[in-house]
Amino acid sequence: MKNLLKIRDLTVCVEHQDNKKIVNQVTFDVKDAGIVGLVGGSGSGKTTTGYAILGLLDPALSVTSGQIEYKGQDLLKASDSEIRKVRGGEIGMIFQEPLNAFNPVFSIGYQIDEMLQYHTDLGKNQREARILELLDLVGLPDPKRLIKNYPHQLSGGMRQRAMIAQAIAPNPDLIIADEPTSNLDVTHQARIIELFQKIRTELKLSILLITHDLGMVGHLCDEVAVMCKGNIVEFGTAEEIVSDPQHQYTKDLMGALKL
Amino acid sequence: MTNKPYESMSEFQMALRTFSRNRVALFCVLVLFLLYMGAIFADFLSPYRYDNEDRRYSYCPPTQIHFFDDGAPSWPFVYGIDLEYNEYHKRIYTEDRSKKYPVKLLMKGDEYRLLGFIPIKTHLWGVEAPGRVYLIGADSRGRDLWSRILYGSRVSLSIGLIGVFISFTIGLLVGGISGYYGGRVDNILMRIAEMVMMVPGFYLLLALRAAVPPDFNSVQVYFAIIIILSFIGWAGLARIIRGMCLSLREREFVMAAKSIGLSDFKIIVRHILPHTLSYSIFAVMLSIPGYILGESALSLIGLGIQDPFASWGNMLSDAMSIVKIKFYPWILVPGFFIFITVISFNVVGDALRDALDPMLKSEGQG
């Protein structure tokens, strides 16, 4: 299978703290229609890696070396307008807490519409039909009313589904999901995992799943990269990692899961 | 969520409810509404045009409108005006009881264009030609003060709105850009804003007015004043909006907006600035009086709207002499209109702040 996203020797440093390395020589690939889990504890640099792909790093951080190649295009060398086409249109992002990631002053429908306005050429009526279709696809009831609702009027699980609907709206090829289930209870987590599996098979897109939850990784991912203190300490298929962890840090993570 | 629709009150509805409980503010809204209606239909509501003068009636006192003719109730009418000079050559106006001019409704008079388009001669009320009616008196050239107040309100009231619109557009954009980008951009923009704020407002006003060619016609002066006032007004707002944007840009939805590929300008205008809306609304209301007073001050000292065109400020310039105020107190009436306009805007602005700012509300009640 072809590689959709190739990350080579990605290094991210904090400029003001003696170039302390937050992400150190990270290398991995995301295959076409593959799901890669990026696993690690808090502060391991997994979210920073995800943000670096879309050029969304905090101004205090900078990529000092490496390549991020998406469909043959080096995103680190892309111009501002080029990378804005990639953001959303090619690579969607799902955030940990959709209550914060949705703008509270706009309705759900408006915010999905904004995505479609920018990344597609659809007319107003087509966009609305597409929004209803998307909300239905992610399993939200009564989409007609939902598009007029504001983020605070939805429950946590519904918001996360709406966020997924927004991310897949312009048919991206890759979705970066940053801890998509951390703020949900266990039953909702399971349903969101099912939803990810569904959109992956139906839309044939790749997912980069950033999480600390090895259990979720075992259910969903094809391959897993385990990160610790900015380094990838172990990379392999999900089965290998879950059934036979090699590195001590991975074993610790597995141990934490069994508690 | 159940099938029953969950509809809560929007922030706007809550604000509206709080606002409508404030009786004084509602009354002030009504006052402002009437004033603006008066400005829009000034030529219809006034018996004369702003430049309809009759120098025989210089500083003619208010004409009495009679409702009784020899003790019997009658359609309202006015008597003719007789002019004599006393031993000090002071003008003494008396009623000429031999002439009677009934007050006519929908009377034909000076031609004007209704709403700026429809040429029409009908005025709401007035008296037939040789008679003259001065509802609140005449100015030095025998022009009807009431008509001139209505015409003047067009200048005075519109300058506030247009000026605020321009300076808030600039203020919001500069503040938004400054707060969103931070760093050097912020530094440069804020230092410029501070340079504008550094000079005391009125002197800056005078200095900028001096930079405008003196031979401008009235329309040009009007727009020059608006631009000058807007130039002074944007800085304070920009600083506050900048502060709000500094904290707003750290919110996750800004990152989310970036992640869907929106440009920086769209993020500022569509995602950040709407969060400053409730502050902006009452800040607009509270700063309109500044523009009205600014125009009045310029016109008062003769640097604004020029005679024969009317504005409340240049009408008051007649009242700068204490002697005139003593003998013709009605020339102060434009000042009264400035006063109620400014008070009304302030009361409405305060009420809006109470209604829109939940933080302030809880502090006030707690």
Side-chain angles (χ1 to χ4, degrees):
Chain A
M1 247 193 288
K2 264 182 64 190
N3 284 334
L4 186 68
L5 179 76
K6 285 200 269 188
I7 297 181
R8 293 283 171 275
D9 298 328
L10 181 73
T11 305
V12 179
C13 293
V14 192
E15 271 172 22
H16 301 298
Q17 290 178 18
D18 297 333
N19 286 339
K20 187 186 165 199
K21 286 175 182 162
I22 301 288
V23 175
N24 188 16
Q25 301 213 319
V26 161
T27 298
F28 66 93
D29 297 326
V30 179
K31 294 192 173 70
D32 256 343
I35 302 187
V36 174
L38 201 54
V39 190
S42 297
S44 59
K46 56 191 195 307
T47 300
T48 308
T49 309
Y51 282 178
I53 295 169
L54 283 176
L56 295 174
L57 288 178
D58 192 276
L61 302 177
S62 61
V63 176
T64 48
S65 67
Q67 280 124 36
I68 299 172
E69 211 175 287
Y70 174 79
K71 286 186 177 170
Q73 178 190 15
D74 191 343
L75 293 183
L76 292 175
K77 295 197 180 83
S79 73
D80 207 38
S81 60
E82 281 168 355
I83 194 130
R84 277 198 274 114
K85 283 281 164 211
V86 172
R87 285 178 194 161
E90 300 272 345
I91 304 180
M93 183 109 193
I94 293 169
F95 290 88
Q96 178 173 10
E97 180 39 271
L99 183 60
N100 299 335
F102 275 125
N103 194 330
V105 300
F106 296 117
S107 66
I108 297 286
Y110 176 88
Q111 298 191 51
I112 300 177
D113 192 45
E114 199 172 29
M115 184 80 139
L116 289 170
Q117 267 180 37
Y118 190 71
H119 291 290
T120 66
D121 303 323
L122 301 177
K124 195 171 185 296
N125 292 333
Q126 289 169 300
R127 290 202 307 267
E128 194 180 325
R130 172 94 176 118
I131 294 169
L132 294 176
E133 182 192 323
L134 282 163
L135 291 176
D136 196 50
L137 177 73
V138 297
L140 282 168
D142 200 359
K144 277 214 159 72
R145 205 184 74 239
L146 265 176
I147 57 174
K148 294 197 190 76
N149 278 153
Y150 288 86
H152 71 270
Q153 292 171 312
L154 272 59
S155 72
M158 292 175 86
R159 272 198 292 269
Q160 193 56 276
R161 281 167 193 265
M163 181 111 240
I164 292 170
Q166 187 197 32
I168 63 177
N171 282 322
D173 292 320
L174 173 66
I175 281 186
I176 301 174
D178 183 11
E179 307 252 11
T181 60
S182 301
N183 280 347
L184 300 175
D185 65 55
V186 183
T187 52
H188 277 99
Q189 279 183 11
R191 287 193 208 143
I192 294 289
I193 291 173
E194 280 167 22
L195 179 60
F196 273 123
Q197 279 163 339
K198 181 181 163 194
I199 59 172
R200 177 232 196 149
T201 46
E202 283 188 16
L203 305 175
K204 308 241 174 331
L205 43 71
S206 315
I207 298 173
L208 175 61
L209 182 70
I210 299 169
T211 181
H212 58 256
D213 184 353
L214 267 175
M216 184 177 175
V217 165
H219 282 110
L220 196 56
C221 296
D222 306 327
E223 290 171 312
V224 180
V226 181
M227 279 188 85
C228 174
K229 292 179 183 165
N231 296 292
I232 290 192
V233 292
E234 201 169 351
F235 187 88
T237 65
E239 282 154 38
E240 284 169 13
I241 301 264
V242 173
S243 59
D244 183 22
Q246 299 295 315
H247 195 272
Q248 184 57 40
Y249 183 70
T250 319
K251 287 177 189 161
D252 289 348
L253 274 180
M254 288 303 294
L257 192 67
K258 286 181 187 115
L259 279 177
Chain B
M1 193 185 278
T2 61
N3 285 332
K4 207 174 163 204
Y6 158 57
E7 303 294 347
S8 56
M9 260 167 111
S10 73
E11 197 184 348
F12 176 72
Q13 285 167 323
M14 285 194 283
L16 201 66
R17 201 175 58 173
T18 319
F19 184 80
S20 61
R21 286 200 188 121
N22 190 335
R23 295 284 168 84
V24 183
L26 283 182
F27 178 74
C28 287
V29 169
L30 180 71
V31 168
L32 289 175
F33 176 76
L34 292 177
L35 284 168
Y36 275 92
M37 279 301 158
I40 292 169
F41 296 105
D43 23 30
F44 176 67
L45 295 173
S46 58
Y48 302 105
R49 253 172 74 101
Y50 60 90
D51 55 355
N52 183 329
E53 60 182 47
D54 190 337
R55 299 202 181 181
R56 278 176 302 172
Y57 301 128
S58 174
Y59 293 121
C60 180
T63 322
Q64 197 186 351
I65 295 174
H66 297 268
F67 295 91
F68 291 94
D69 193 4
D70 285 337
S74 146
W75 180 257
F77 64 91
V78 298
Y79 287 114
I81 304 165
D82 242 1
L83 169 61
E84 293 164 9
Y85 293 91
N86 68 5
E87 69 265 40
Y88 307 111
H89 298 283
K90 184 180 181 304
R91 288 158 174 260
I92 304 293
Y93 294 99
T94 50
E95 286 183 330
D96 178 359
R97 298 233 163 201
S98 63
K99 292 174 194 149
K100 261 173 63 178
Y101 303 101
V103 171
K104 284 183 120 184
L105 292 179
L106 301 177
M107 188 201 65
K108 297 268 183 263
D110 303 327
E111 188 170 325
Y112 63 92
R113 286 171 181 274
L114 188 66
L115 301 173
F117 299 109
I118 315 148
I120 192 173
K121 284 185 169 179
T122 312
H123 293 250
L124 179 65
W125 65 286
V127 296
E128 286 294 349
R132 258 185 111 80
V133 57
Y134 294 115
L135 195 64
I136 48 177
D139 69 1
S140 60
R141 296 206 216 163
R143 293 176 298 201
D144 180 29
L145 212 57
W146 170 243
S147 304
R148 280 177 68 75
I149 284 175
L150 285 169
Y151 275 95
S153 70
R154 289 186 159 174
V155 171
S156 298
L157 294 177
S158 65
I159 270 185
L161 290 191
I162 303 175
V164 140
F165 177 76
I166 296 175
S167 74
F168 268 65
T169 311
I170 302 172
L172 283 172
L173 280 180
V174 170
I177 291 169
S178 196
Y180 178 76
Y181 288 108
R184 186 179 299 176
V185 179
D186 180 32
N187 231 328
I188 293 170
L189 287 175
M190 282 306 107
R191 294 303 86 74
I192 294 172
E194 274 152 21
M195 271 193 277
V196 173
M197 293 169 78
M198 184 173 72
V199 185
F202 193 68
Y203 298 98
L204 189 56
L205 199 63
L206 293 181
L208 289 170
R209 181 63 182 88
V212 173
D215 55 348
F216 267 16
N217 68 34
S218 272
V219 179
Q220 288 170 319
V221 167
Y222 175 77
F223 285 107
I225 293 174
I226 289 177
I227 291 166
I228 291 169
L229 288 170
S230 315
F231 181 79
I232 297 172
W234 65 271
L237 180 83
R239 279 231 304 205
I240 294 168
I241 295 295
R242 172 232 177 216
M244 295 169 97
C245 290
L246 272 180
S247 91
L248 282 167
R249 70 167 181 181
E250 303 298 332
R251 302 270 294 270
E252 203 174 336
F253 60 78
V254 175
M255 177 67 89
K258 259 190 216 166
S259 83
I260 70 171
L262 293 185
S263 64
D264 287 349
F265 183 74
K266 271 191 185 150
I267 292 176
I268 294 172
V269 174
R270 297 229 300 232
H271 283 270
I272 296 184
L273 289 182
H275 287 262
T276 66
L277 192 68
S278 57
Y279 171 79
S280 303
I281 287 175
F282 67 73
V284 160
M285 276 293 168
L286 289 174
S287 61
I288 288 177
Y291 293 81
I292 294 176
L293 291 173
E295 183 276 327
S296 300
L298 271 184
S299 297
L300 179 79
I301 56 175
L303 294 173
I305 307 295
Q306 302 294 320
D307 218 52
F309 298 98
S311 93
W312 290 346
N314 77 5
M315 293 171 76
L316 271 183
S317 63
D318 223 13
M320 287 212 283
S321 136
I322 190 82
V323 181
K324 283 184 184 165
I325 294 176
K326 173 157 175 23
F327 288 112
Y328 326 114
W330 53 87
I331 57 176
L332 271 178
V333 173
F336 172 72
F337 275 85
I338 295 176
F339 174 73
I340 58 170
T341 308
V342 168
I343 280 271
S344 298
F345 271 115
N346 276 324
V347 170
V348 172
D350 268 343
L352 278 176
R353 175 164 52 195
D354 292 346
L356 288 169
D357 196 342
M359 306 287 278
L360 200 76
K361 215 158 33 192
S362 60
E363 273 172 30
Q365 285 168 357

